[in-house]
Amino acid sequence: MKKLNISSKIFVDGGDPKETREAKELLGFVHGQTTNPTLISQNPIVRERMERGEKFSKREAYHFYQEVVREIAKIISGPISVEVYADRDTKAQKMIEEAKEMVKWIPNACIKLPITKEGLKAANLAVKENIPLNMTLCFSQEQAAAVYAATKGAENPVFISPFVGRLDDRGENGMNLVENILRMYRNGDGHVNVLTASVRNLNHLLFALSLSCPLITVPFRVIKEWAEKDFILPDENFNYQPQNLKPIPYQEISLDKDWKSYNIYHQLTEIGIEKFVLDWQSMIKS
Ligand code: G3P
């Protein structure tokens, strides 16, 4: 097996333990995993069940999610992100209650909360309870600054997930956001770690590696492609040149403001929340 000389930690982005197992066989390691409601709804067992026209009760759906996460925890010992249910109306208190349950599922659970007003409020409370966090659906530098400020003093490292592919989808250079957050966090105390997410292709992965992004979550199909290319690594001449994507400029944003004062609205966060809700609910009997 090829020894990979990289500083980034590689996570699997998925909801199927079989993929985690195969990724570990290919790489020789997997440092962590990220899941979300969409990925769980795409698990082959869920798909088969849905094709038979059998949906889950809400309780069964949570049980299934828990089983998947427990299965993954048998394969890897690193952080496994588990996402709370959050729709437009979910209050911080409800997210915290769910986070406290989910964190008991496995010893290495890391709770995903959305970067919304209520999600940040929940994050601010969660760090006081030592709940490991992955702040998800990040689409702007200002959101990343708010996460930093809201989780200051956290004893566990906090992860933040900029969703690269979804910015690319609408013609913006998502990898610029990763670069910008990494640069902004250089002025901080290091308690928030950037986790490049919504990776769609090998170029995203290679550029994130060249930036030494601390964490990168990668779908199995991209890990497979990487393996087929003999785990190619970016050299000093690596040049990330996305076609026709508008650059996202760096902004000077202070990390020291009151976390409630940042402008955290981003349309893609709202759309992302809606999609997670729809995918989760598609599994559940009405
Ligand atoms: O890690 C987040 C990821 O699962 C979202 O990916 O491809 O749905 O934007 P995508």
Side-chain angles (χ1 to χ4, degrees):
M1 196 159 295
K2 189 168 171 178
K3 169 116 182 55
L4 283 178
N5 190 14
I6 53 174
S7 60
S8 307
K9 300 247 184 277
I10 304 295
F11 288 13
V12 173
D13 193 28
D16 179 6
K18 189 168 167 269
E19 289 185 346
T20 312
R21 206 167 288 116
E22 286 179 30
K24 193 172 170 186
E25 274 161 25
L26 288 174
L27 285 160
F29 65 87
V30 165
H31 296 120
Q33 171 106 15
T34 49
T35 70
N36 65 40
T38 302
L39 294 169
I40 295 298
S41 74
Q42 289 166 350
N43 175 291
I45 296 172
V46 177
R47 288 190 159 196
E48 269 174 39
R49 214 173 138 148
M50 305 274 279
E51 273 159 28
R52 291 198 303 270
E54 287 172 33
K55 293 202 176 188
F56 292 75
S57 68
K58 200 168 154 193
R59 200 189 163 92
E60 284 172 334
Y62 274 99
H63 183 71
F64 181 80
Y65 196 174
Q66 185 181 36
E67 287 301 303
V68 166
V69 165
R70 286 195 169 151
E71 208 46 48
I72 295 168
K74 289 184 195 157
I75 307 163
I76 59 172
S77 57
I80 301 175
S81 292
V82 187
E83 186 151 346
V84 300
Y85 175 86
D87 60 30
R88 279 163 175 261
D89 304 319
T90 310
K91 295 288 176 208
Q93 199 48 42
K94 185 87 190 37
M95 292 187 209
I96 279 287
E97 279 162 27
E98 196 165 316
K100 282 184 181 166
E101 280 309 307
M102 287 175 150
V103 84
K104 288 190 243 156
W105 287 1
I106 46 165
N108 41 341
C110 175
I111 303 299
K112 269 179 148 179
L113 297 170
I115 309 175
T116 56
K117 198 166 147 256
E118 292 300 315
L120 277 181
K121 214 191 270 180
N124 185 256
L125 296 170
V127 292
K128 295 183 179 108
E129 309 247 7
N130 282 335
I131 298 176
L133 292 179
N134 176 356
M135 299 303 292
T136 191
L137 291 167
C138 175
F139 295 100
S140 77
Q141 213 189 305
E142 187 118 359
Q143 288 179 327
V147 164
Y148 178 94
T151 59
K152 213 155 178 205
E155 287 192 13
N156 293 303
V158 173
F159 302 158
I160 186 163
S161 296
F163 273 32
V164 169
R166 294 195 192 179
L167 283 161
D168 285 12
D169 287 344
R170 67 170 204 180
E172 295 177 55
N173 183 354
M175 284 307 298
N176 282 162
L177 178 63
V178 172
E179 287 182 283
N180 294 345
I181 299 173
L182 287 169
R183 178 172 160 195
M184 175 174 72
Y185 281 175
R186 273 186 228 127
N187 303 320
D189 59 15
H191 80 276
V192 187
N193 294 334
V194 180
L195 196 170
T196 300
S198 182
V199 163
R200 301 280 178 73
N201 54 54
L202 204 49
N203 263 346
H204 284 153
L205 169 61
L206 294 179
F207 190 39
L209 287 170
S210 80
L211 294 172
S212 298
C213 184
L215 312 155
I216 310 169
T217 190
V218 190
F220 180 61
R221 68 180 161 74
V222 178
I223 292 178
K224 234 164 69 184
E225 190 189 337
W226 196 24
E228 281 156 14
K229 304 234 161 85
D230 199 22
F231 297 108
I232 177 179
L233 291 177
D235 60 18
E236 63 282 4
N237 302 319
F238 177 78
N239 194 1
Y240 180 71
Q241 278 187 320
Q243 298 295 305
N244 305 320
L245 294 180
K246 200 168 130 234
I248 301 176
Y250 181 77
Q251 296 168 275
E252 287 300 337
I253 301 175
S254 162
L255 294 171
D256 297 325
K257 295 198 298 184
D258 175 357
W259 59 269
K260 297 184 208 81
S261 68
Y262 293 95
N263 174 12
I264 57 157
Y265 176 79
H266 198 288
Q267 194 192 25
L268 289 181
T269 305
E270 304 289 313
I271 294 172
I273 284 173
E274 252 166 62
K275 177 155 173 46
F276 284 154
V277 168
L278 282 177
D279 289 339
W280 180 247
Q281 283 173 347
S282 71
M283 292 170 54
I284 297 174
K285 292 176 202 149
S286 50

